Amino acid sequence: MADQDNKVEKAPIDHVEDVHVSKEAKIAAQSEHDTTLWEALKTNRKSAMWSAIISLTIIMEGYDVGLIYQFFAYPSFAETFGNWDPVTESYQVSGPWQAGLANGANVGIIIGGFLNGYLSAKYGYKKVILASLFLMNWLIFLPFFAQSPQVLLVGQILCGLTWGVFATTGPAYASEVCPMVLRGYLTCYVNLCWAIGQLIAAGVLYGLLDLTGQWSYRVCYAIQWVWPIPIFIVILFGPESPWYLIRNDRIEDAHKALCKLDNKGEECHRQTIAQIMHTLKIEDQMESGSSYLDCFKGTDLRRTEIVCMTFAGQVLSGSTFAYGPTYFFQQAGISTDKSYQIAVGGTAIAFTGTVISGFLLSRFGRRTLYVGGMAVDMVVLLLIGIIASASESTGAKWGQAALCLIWLFVYSSTIGPICYTIISETSSLRLRAKSVCLSRNIYNITQIIANIIEPYLINPTEANLKGQTAFFWFATALCALTWSFFRLPELRGRTYEEADVLFHQKVPARKFASHNVDAYDNELTGKE
């Protein structure tokens, strides 16, 4: 038996006895199906902890993105980076610069995301995220000392490089180190970290609203130095993903990583490694590659469509308009002070909604929550547009504000967090890092387009549509709802092996939940 164990640990994947690996893998897969939530928490509490720690880096992205959107309504920021507008008798950041500054970070995130797809596959998640944290610590100086929109834009782009790594590593790492029953919760937690960042940003902005001069927004940037060093020190002692290690034939290191991730014992670790090997073998049979180009070949093309459209749906649902609505409230006639009070309340609602999504996840499927959330938010956007068209009274303005908060709660309970679960579960093992990075970049490209459109629709120096802007986002949400109803599959309760086979068999999206599949039946893959 010791010889067999030694074989599994040290032999290359291609030379391990197929029967032995398949038997061990099947035991591990059955164990995943049989394990309850509380059993998984007891035996995998360390993997949940490390996943949660890695995802903490996303707080920085949520914080800074929350800052730049809400800074446009910030008096001292507008005075430094904007111009005097005689119509509104106030300083305004012009529509083009609003679009440019909002998109700067997204451009950096796109570049960082694509780089992370290569770097994580080559060097592992741990090394790449440590390097990004180190770099982030120095790049914060640029927006902190910026005196012109041009310098601030460069700072946003360069900081975005590291945020692209954080945003794509969190869900990918969580999906690989956590068992199936915990996978949904830990990938939803990624969105919770985003909401925490936005909550902190809104609180800090409101707290510094009465501070005059440039320090009122500089302090906001300086607070970002709180994160990188402590998170860097903790992650330094964390384990690498065993899936990454086995993809690179580092079986012994994978055993050591599993010891840091759970307390199941050596036999279960051997079975888990066999399951990973078996999944890799299935993807080999299906000719799944490992480059960005392979994301658009064979069954992976459908998977790429799903992860990209699911992520783009966050923007199409109207998030650019309703998620950070401080500027919208201000243009609607609500005072700056009240607008930021609502923003703080809104981020608290987003945090609460994300927590509630964990409970919804245990009762409903991913598809149900995503499609249902999109439908409700679409209706809310339509109501905002109708109210804005019907009246400009104070009551109508507050009615629009209330509906924005309802939109935010629904989004944060469904579309926002569930998206991370869907993209993590849908991509194939070999393309996990690249697929997550690609989907996030499609999201950012969509966000860039939205950031260009939104200022021109709502800015008082441009179209000045105010609440009627919601009609435009109602139309985009309708498109996203139509796609998700016909194309989004349900992968709740499926192992990665079973997902591989379901996609290989080209099962229709609406039949994924009910289709019977055996990942250990060779005939299903059409190979011996």
Side-chain angles (χ1 to χ4, degrees):
M1 187 67 180
D3 291 338
Q4 286 182 330
D5 290 350
N6 194 49
K7 270 186 178 182
V8 174
E9 285 186 13
K10 296 182 179 180
I13 293 175
D14 292 339
H15 294 87
V16 178
E17 292 183 9
D18 289 347
V19 175
H20 176 72
V21 170
S22 181
K23 181 180 177 181
E24 297 271 69
K26 193 169 186 177
I27 295 172
Q30 188 59 48
S31 176
E32 274 205 274
H33 281 294
D34 295 340
T35 302
T36 64
L37 175 61
W38 294 113
E39 288 172 345
L41 285 172
K42 284 194 293 184
T43 56
N44 293 273
R45 57 182 178 273
K46 290 187 287 185
S47 64
M49 178 193 72
W50 285 116
S51 173
I53 290 171
I54 292 286
S55 295
L56 285 176
T57 56
I58 296 172
I59 291 177
M60 287 183 284
E61 185 199 5
Y63 177 84
D64 196 83
V65 171
L67 284 184
I68 198 63
Y69 283 117
Q70 298 189 64
F71 267 157
F72 298 142
Y74 217 57
S76 59
F77 183 90
E79 187 174 346
T80 303
F81 298 103
N83 298 294
W84 178 259
D85 178 34
V87 177
T88 60
E89 295 185 349
S90 63
Y91 283 96
Q92 294 283 340
V93 179
S94 67
W97 270 115
Q98 279 191 24
L101 292 173
N103 285 332
N106 287 317
V107 170
I109 290 170
I110 289 172
I111 299 170
F114 273 121
L115 289 175
N116 191 36
Y118 286 110
L119 297 175
S120 293
K122 186 173 183 179
Y123 300 107
Y125 298 114
K126 182 178 173 180
K127 288 182 180 178
V128 175
I129 206 164
L130 286 173
S132 298
L133 284 166
F134 176 81
L135 187 62
M136 176 72 189
N137 204 46
W138 299 99
L139 291 175
I140 296 171
F141 282 100
L142 282 171
F144 178 78
F145 286 111
Q147 291 290 311
S148 67
Q150 291 87 349
V151 175
L152 182 59
L153 177 61
V154 173
Q156 289 287 110
I157 293 172
L158 293 178
C159 286
L161 294 175
T162 60
W163 297 331
V165 174
F166 302 150
T168 51
T169 298
Y173 185 84
S175 68
E176 293 191 4
V177 302
C178 297
M180 182 175 63
V181 69
L182 292 179
R183 193 187 305 150
Y185 298 99
L186 270 301
T187 48
C188 279
Y189 171 77
V190 170
N191 193 75
L192 183 64
C193 290
W194 171 277
I196 291 171
Q198 298 246 307
L199 178 60
I200 295 172
V204 169
L205 283 165
Y206 181 67
L208 296 173
L209 195 59
D210 294 329
L211 185 65
T212 58
Q214 295 183 7
W215 283 103
S216 62
Y217 65 85
R218 275 190 175 184
V219 170
C220 298
Y221 281 121
I223 288 174
Q224 291 181 93
W225 276 306
V226 172
W227 279 282
I229 294 176
I231 295 179
F232 181 95
I233 294 171
V234 175
I235 294 177
L236 201 58
F237 299 96
E240 182 56 82
S241 164
W243 294 77
Y244 160 78
L245 295 170
I246 293 173
R247 280 197 298 267
N248 290 274
D249 292 339
R250 294 167 59 184
I251 311 300
E252 232 176 280
D253 290 337
H255 269 290
K256 293 175 183 177
L258 286 169
C259 290
K260 288 185 176 182
L261 290 168
D262 61 49
N263 54 5
K264 292 180 179 179
E266 185 180 340
E267 184 178 356
C268 286
H269 292 166
R270 186 173 62 249
Q271 292 166 358
T272 299
I273 288 174
Q275 185 185 21
I276 297 172
M277 289 177 171
H278 185 260
T279 306
L280 287 168
K281 180 187 174 184
I282 289 177
E283 293 185 3
D284 278 339
Q285 291 177 338
M286 295 175 182
E287 298 179 353
S288 175
S290 57
S291 69
Y292 274 117
L293 187 60
D294 290 314
C295 291
F296 302 95
K297 294 180 179 179
T299 57
D300 286 309
L301 174 60
R302 182 184 178 189
R303 291 179 163 197
T304 301
E305 175 208 335
I306 291 167
V307 297
C308 289
M309 285 300 299
T310 299
F311 227 144
Q314 286 193 332
V315 180
L316 298 176
S317 68
S319 60
T320 309
F321 170 77
Y323 195 97
T326 308
Y327 188 74
F328 159 59
F329 293 155
Q330 194 183 69
Q331 300 312 312
I334 299 173
S335 69
T336 300
D337 188 63
K338 294 292 184 185
S339 295
Y340 276 97
Q341 285 181 8
I342 297 171
V344 174
T347 52
I349 288 172
F351 178 88
T352 304
T354 306
V355 172
I356 290 173
S357 71
F359 296 96
L360 296 176
L361 197 65
S362 63
R363 298 185 60 118
F364 303 100
R366 286 79 160 121
R367 173 185 163 88
T368 302
L369 291 174
Y370 190 91
V371 174
M374 189 69 73
V376 174
D377 276 345
M378 181 188 71
V379 173
V380 172
L381 288 169
L382 178 61
L383 292 175
I384 293 173
I386 291 172
I387 292 174
S389 301
S391 173
E392 292 187 4
S393 65
T394 302
K397 294 171 184 175
W398 282 102
Q400 293 172 64
L403 285 170
C404 274
L405 296 180
I406 292 172
W407 182 98
L408 184 57
F409 176 76
V410 174
Y411 175 91
S412 302
S413 304
T414 56
I415 301 168
I418 300 305
C419 170
Y420 290 97
T421 303
I422 292 171
I423 64 169
S424 301
E425 293 179 337
T426 304
S427 54
S428 63
L429 175 60
R430 292 186 184 278
L431 292 169
R432 176 72 42 76
K434 290 183 175 63
S435 182
V436 172
C437 293
L438 185 62
S439 63
R440 180 56 199 247
N441 285 338
I442 292 297
Y443 162 84
N444 284 302
I445 291 170
T446 311
Q447 186 70 69
I448 287 173
I449 296 171
N451 287 340
I452 292 172
I453 294 171
E454 177 68 9
Y456 285 98
L457 294 176
I458 202 170
N459 197 296
T461 63
E462 306 294 342
N464 195 27
L465 292 179
K466 299 179 181 178
Q468 294 179 50
T469 306
F471 283 129
F472 176 83
W473 299 112
F474 162 77
T476 61
L478 177 60
C479 294
L481 174 64
T482 303
W483 174 86
S484 59
F485 181 80
F486 290 104
R487 298 292 291 169
L488 183 63
E490 178 59 73
L491 286 172
R492 181 189 183 192
R494 300 293 193 183
T495 65
Y496 291 131
E497 302 157 299
E498 292 168 344
D500 284 337
V501 175
L502 285 167
F503 280 109
H504 180 73
Q505 293 182 329
K506 300 180 181 179
V507 176
R510 285 175 286 174
K511 295 183 179 180
F512 260 59
S514 59
H515 191 81
N516 292 322
V517 61
D518 180 0
Y520 296 89
D521 183 352
N522 289 332
E523 292 182 3
L524 291 176
T525 64
K527 299 276 185 178
E528 288 296 326

